[in-house]
């Protein structure tokens, strides 16, 4: 009864007239509801990708010509921004929510939790091959504002030649996953679409996190209708063997090496070129004239 009541209060603004609940009580209900959802369901539905998730994401990416990829984007209003990472099935894997004036596309990258696990050696291993070249680091499809890091694959502005045109077409098409994910998120939860000037930033973050958790729950429940053939079993979550701690991960030199690898421009350019060739090899016969 409490959950259903809180759910109703959470999604409706006009509760004063209908339920005779004061504004302060409504705000407390929203706060308790969001904190409860995050506490109970956050570890599963706001988790970082596990090894099994990585394997499935690799399969999903390979089917579209982008093995090893995620989709990164941002959506914001004049004062608050949401930067998110989503996959083709609309699952939101990461979300940064903050004030846009001090957090834009570039300096959000310096936030500790974006690439912290990669740089400290705690992220699941990623291995894939593109154009007969082996890679051991996942990457994000992103727009042109992001830097030339090994972890980003950007489109090509004004591409010349059929191969580059086809690559840009596929990259920009796959990148629309983030637009779809955010559009579905907004359509499901009106509280995200409406003005939020009266909310404190911490409360807004809790609301956004709660909406993403509920969104991912729905995605998990509806995946069977998507027509994919991927394994979405999560019975193993939290039950797999834990790797023993590696003291070398705390070594500063090792951290610097990983940081250098993440920001390696040469790998960035090589990966983009390999993907251009890979996509042309797979889909070029379908698009001889673009």
């Amino acid at each position: 009864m409490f959950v259903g009541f809180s759910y109703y209060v959470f999604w409706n603004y006009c509760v004063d007239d209908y339920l005779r609940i004061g504004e302060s009580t409504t705000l407390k209900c929203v706060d308790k509801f969001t904190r409860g959802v995050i506490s109970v369901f956050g570890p599963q539905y706001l988790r970082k990708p596990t090894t099994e998730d990585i394997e499935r994401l690799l399969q999903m990416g390979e089917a579209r010509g982008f093995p090893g990829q995620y989709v990164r984007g941002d959506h914001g209003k004049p004062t608050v921004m949401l930067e998110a990472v989503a996959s083709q099935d609309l699952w939101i894997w990461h979300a940064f929510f903050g004030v846009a004036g001090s957090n834009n596309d570039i300096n959000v990258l310096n936030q500790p939790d974006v690439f912290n696990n990669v740089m400290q050696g705690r992220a699941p291993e990623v291995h894939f091959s593109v154009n007969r070249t082996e890679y051991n680091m996942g990457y994000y499809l992103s727009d042109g504002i992001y830097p030339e890091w090994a972890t980003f694959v950007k489109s090509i502005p004004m591409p010349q030649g059929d191969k580059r045109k086809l690559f840009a077409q596929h990259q920009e098409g796959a990148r629309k996953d983030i637009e779809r994910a955010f559009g579905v998120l907004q359509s499901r939860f009106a509280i995200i679409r409406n003005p939020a000037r009266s909310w404190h930033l911490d409360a807004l973050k809790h609301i956004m996190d709660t909406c993403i958790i509920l969104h991912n729950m729905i995605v998990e429940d509806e995946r069977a209708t998507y027509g994919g053939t991927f394994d979405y079993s999560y019975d193993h979550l939290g039950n797999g063997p834990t790797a023993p701690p590696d003291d070398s991960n705390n070594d500063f030199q090792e951290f610097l090496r990983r940081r250098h690898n993440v920001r390696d421009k040469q790998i960035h350019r090589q990966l983009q070129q390999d993907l251009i060739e890979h996509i042309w090899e797979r889909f070029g016969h379908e698009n001889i004239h673009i």
Side-chain angles (χ1 to χ4, degrees):
M1 186 67 178
F2 173 75
V3 173
F5 173 76
S6 297
Y7 184 87
Y8 185 88
V9 172
F10 183 62
W11 304 126
N12 290 272
Y13 285 103
C14 302
V15 292
D16 285 352
D17 294 335
Y18 190 77
L19 296 178
R20 304 297 180 182
I21 296 178
E23 180 181 358
S24 60
T25 303
T26 301
L27 294 176
K28 287 181 180 179
C29 287
V30 172
D31 182 66
K32 287 182 179 295
F33 178 76
T34 56
R35 289 177 183 271
V37 169
I38 294 169
S39 174
V40 175
F41 300 106
Q44 178 173 354
Y45 291 97
L46 287 179
R47 71 180 186 279
K48 293 179 174 61
T50 64
T51 300
E52 290 78 10
D53 292 327
I54 294 293
E55 292 176 357
R56 179 170 49 80
L57 290 169
L58 286 171
Q59 295 177 46
M60 295 172 65
E62 173 60 30
R64 312 170 80 191
F66 287 98
Q69 57 90 15
Y70 307 84
V71 183
R72 185 186 185 94
D74 66 275
H75 300 267
K77 297 300 180 183
T79 56
V80 181
M81 66 173 290
L82 169 68
E83 180 167 82
V85 176
S87 51
Q88 182 184 6
D89 59 1
L90 305 183
W91 185 286
I92 297 176
W93 293 100
H94 164 80
F96 176 87
F97 191 71
V99 179
S102 59
N103 293 297
N104 55 40
D105 285 355
I106 301 303
N107 58 29
V108 161
L109 298 180
N110 296 318
Q111 297 295 326
D113 62 342
V114 178
F115 294 115
N116 190 48
N117 283 348
V118 175
M119 294 180 181
Q120 296 194 7
R122 296 198 302 262
E125 293 185 359
V126 179
H127 299 287
F128 60 94
S129 175
V130 182
N131 194 36
R132 293 166 290 279
T133 303
E134 298 294 327
Y135 292 92
N136 58 10
M137 187 184 305
Y139 61 91
Y140 300 91
L141 301 183
S142 61
D143 58 27
I145 195 174
Y146 288 89
E148 292 186 343
W149 289 6
T151 48
F152 295 125
V153 169
K154 304 189 289 183
S155 185
I156 301 175
M158 295 183 292
Q160 302 297 315
D162 288 346
K163 287 185 180 181
R164 289 176 171 265
K165 288 180 181 179
L166 183 62
F167 167 80
Q169 182 186 75
H170 278 249
Q171 197 272 0
E172 292 164 11
R175 213 176 68 223
K176 292 186 183 297
D177 288 348
I178 192 69
E179 310 286 344
R180 292 172 51 237
F182 191 72
V184 171
L185 190 69
Q186 281 190 314
S187 68
R188 283 174 172 160
F189 306 112
I191 195 169
I192 298 178
R193 300 194 304 270
N194 292 321
R197 288 187 293 272
S198 62
W199 295 93
H200 190 276
L201 185 60
D202 287 342
L204 285 175
K205 185 180 186 309
H206 290 152
I207 290 171
M208 184 61 70
D209 285 347
T210 300
C211 290
I212 290 173
I213 288 172
L214 297 176
H215 165 84
N216 284 346
M217 285 181 176
I218 297 171
V219 169
E220 181 182 63
D221 184 62
E222 294 181 348
R223 275 170 171 162
T225 67
Y226 292 176
T229 58
F230 307 106
D231 180 13
Y232 289 106
S233 173
Y234 292 101
D235 294 338
H236 57 273
L237 277 178
N239 298 324
T242 302
D246 184 1
D247 293 338
S248 65
N249 290 339
N250 297 323
D251 183 79
F252 186 60
Q253 294 300 321
E254 185 68 12
F255 175 85
L256 291 179
R257 184 188 67 80
R258 293 193 180 99
R259 183 176 183 272
H260 172 75
N261 290 341
V262 167
R263 302 184 178 210
D264 194 319
K265 290 185 178 181
Q266 183 175 351
I267 295 178
H268 166 87
R269 293 163 184 165
Q270 178 66 45
L271 176 58
Q272 184 184 66
Q273 186 58 43
D274 283 334
L275 285 168
I276 290 173
E277 297 296 334
H278 179 75
I279 289 175
W280 180 255
E281 184 177 336
R282 287 202 57 185
F283 304 105
H285 64 281
E286 302 173 1
N287 299 269
I288 301 301
H289 301 289
I290 301 177

